[in-house]
Amino acid sequence: MEKMNKPTLYWSLLKFKDWNFHIASTTKSLVFIGSQYKPFEELVKWATKHFPGCPLVEDAEKLEPFVVEITQYLDGRRKTFTIPFEYVGTPFQLAVWRALCDIPYGQTKSYSDIANDINKPAAVRAIGAAIGANPILITVPCHRVIGKNGSLTGYRGGLEMKTWLLDLEKRVSLNIE
């Protein structure tokens, strides 16, 4: 009998105001937050690559703890996350994603800053690629990375979403409603 221990990935469509994005978890950890307005296929493609052969099961109840914290963040009522999340990537990507999690709420860093933070100062382009591969938008705050000159740069969720998230954090940090 060849039964591999493949985790089930549970997913749900998170709806916040006029945004919709798919999220997914294992039984223990959040593993994916999709881009706003992207179809379910975005999640399927990612899951096929990173969790091959694992079933995708829609289960809003299992995702509820994650939805609560993400929604609280989007409402400006949460600055940090306590939900467990799991990175699925290369060692280099993991180092970049951990560095992203060290960027304080309401602040930004450049790609060069992240490269220096992980002791890879010449890897700025690779840093950009790793950030672009971040599977857990919002909770792994890649939206806090901007160009060295302060310009907004690419974001898997789209520049509209990135701008909105940065503005939210700025307003909350300054206590502006």
Side-chain angles (χ1 to χ4, degrees), residues 92-157:
F92 179 78
Q93 288 172 328
L94 299 179
V96 170
W97 300 337
R98 282 191 295 272
L100 298 177
C101 290
D102 291 337
I103 303 172
Y105 183 94
Q107 297 182 29
T108 58
K109 284 194 172 188
S110 71
Y111 293 89
S112 299
D113 293 334
I114 300 298
N116 289 326
D117 288 349
I118 66 165
N119 298 314
K120 303 277 186 191
V124 175
R125 285 187 190 270
I127 296 292
I131 290 171
N134 171 20
I136 316 174
L137 297 180
I138 302 170
T139 57
V140 176
C142 54
H143 61 275
R144 296 179 188 154
V145 180
I146 59 174
K148 195 172 194 173
N149 64 0
S151 64
L152 290 186
T153 54
Y155 182 65
R156 182 169 61 86

Side-chain angles (χ1 to χ4, degrees), residues 14-143:
L14 190 150
K15 296 178 180 185
F16 175 79
K17 297 185 180 179
D18 61 348
W19 286 11
N20 293 305
F21 43 91
H22 294 91
I23 64 173
S25 73
T26 61
T27 55
K28 299 176 189 167
S29 306
L30 185 67
V31 294
F32 182 84
I33 296 179
S35 307
Q36 68 172 347
Y37 313 123
K38 292 283 183 163
F40 181 66
E41 286 71 31
E42 179 192 33
L43 170 57
V44 172
K45 182 178 177 183
W46 178 85
T48 300
K49 180 177 180 179
H50 297 284
F51 286 88
C54 293
L56 272 169
V57 175
E58 185 174 11
D59 190 331
E61 188 175 314
K62 281 207 186 313
L63 276 288
E64 186 62 23
F66 307 111
V67 168
V68 166
E69 285 202 13
I70 295 165
T71 301
Q72 288 171 343
Y73 166 85
L74 294 171
D75 271 339
R77 296 180 289 128
R78 173 176 291 280
K79 293 182 179 182
T80 59
F81 293 96
T82 61
I83 51 175
F85 47 91
E86 178 182 339
Y87 312 113
V88 180
T90 67
F92 179 78
Q93 288 172 328
L94 299 179
V96 170
W97 300 337
R98 282 191 295 272
L100 298 177
C101 290
D102 291 337
I103 303 172
Y105 183 94
Q107 297 182 29
T108 58
K109 284 194 172 188
S110 71
Y111 293 89
S112 299
D113 293 334
I114 300 298
N116 289 326
D117 288 349
I118 66 165
N119 298 314
K120 303 277 186 191
V124 175
R125 285 187 190 270
I127 296 292
I131 290 171
N134 171 20
I136 316 174
L137 297 180
I138 302 170
T139 57
V140 176
C142 54
H143 61 275

